[in-house]
Amino acid sequence: MSLPSQSPDEERLAFFVGDWDNSGRALPGPTGPGGPVSGSTSYRWGNGGKWLLYTSRLNLPVVGAYEVRGGVIWNSHRGKYDAYAANSLGNLMVYEGEWADDATLVLTLVHPKPGAARVVYRKLPDGVFGMTSENVSADGEFAIHVELGFVRSQP
């Protein structure tokens, strides 16, 4: 659903609106041995349709119950998306992003460690999408830390 006052850049985010079931995995790394990840995510328009707000509740290896809330907004002054995420571990992350192509939205960390991490969303042809949370590895390349699939929740 798009809203009448939305720009084309805001409308591009409409695909995410709704309730999603998540499943995937955390890969072994600095935060632990890895393992299965499951949970749910809800995306909604807020603040006059300018913010895409979300809440994710996941079960992560080592951490257990984990929640992250945030939002994405189009910054017309910079021609990029601004994204914010606050998690149940007490962290606030700030990202900026843009579409790499018609199906791939890349949000790169700008706070607290600029460029040290990114989140990549990939819209898939069957109406679902995938997400990877990636950190810069010792060799300076991005390495996947968590990968999730998103399928629409059944009513």
Side-chain angles (χ1 to χ4, degrees):
M1 168 184 104
S2 63
L3 302 173
S5 63
Q6 289 183 315
S7 72
D9 295 293
E10 292 161 337
E11 288 177 3
R12 289 188 82 178
L13 300 174
F15 174 86
F16 297 103
V17 173
D19 297 317
W20 302 84
D21 294 324
N22 307 131
S23 63
R25 65 185 178 138
L27 283 79
T31 58
V37 176
S38 62
S40 62
T41 301
S42 175
Y43 291 90
R44 300 282 183 265
W45 288 116
N47 299 39
K50 298 299 180 187
W51 282 90
L52 179 65
L53 303 174
Y54 67 89
T55 300
S56 287
R57 291 179 178 90
L58 303 170
N59 186 10
L60 297 175
V62 179
V63 173
Y66 172 83
E67 184 173 316
V68 60
R69 293 174 183 248
V72 181
I73 188 168
W74 175 248
N75 185 326
S76 61
H77 300 290
R78 291 189 306 111
K80 294 186 177 200
Y81 295 94
D82 292 333
Y84 303 87
N87 68 26
S88 57
L89 302 176
N91 300 311
L92 171 66
M93 289 88 49
V94 180
Y95 299 84
E96 71 176 21
E98 58 194 336
W99 291 91
D101 56 42
D102 286 341
T104 308
L105 176 61
V106 179
L107 301 170
T108 303
L109 190 69
V110 296
H111 173 80
K113 292 182 174 181
R118 69 182 181 188
V119 178
V120 180
Y121 293 92
R122 291 180 179 85
K123 292 173 25 177
L124 304 172
D126 55 357
V128 300
F129 67 97
M131 183 276 292
T132 56
S133 178
E134 305 173 4
N135 296 319
V136 173
S137 63
D139 63 5
E141 298 295 319
F142 281 104
I144 295 173
H145 172 63
V146 174
E147 58 186 358
L148 287 175
F150 288 69
V151 296
R152 293 236 180 238
S153 298
Q154 298 300 313

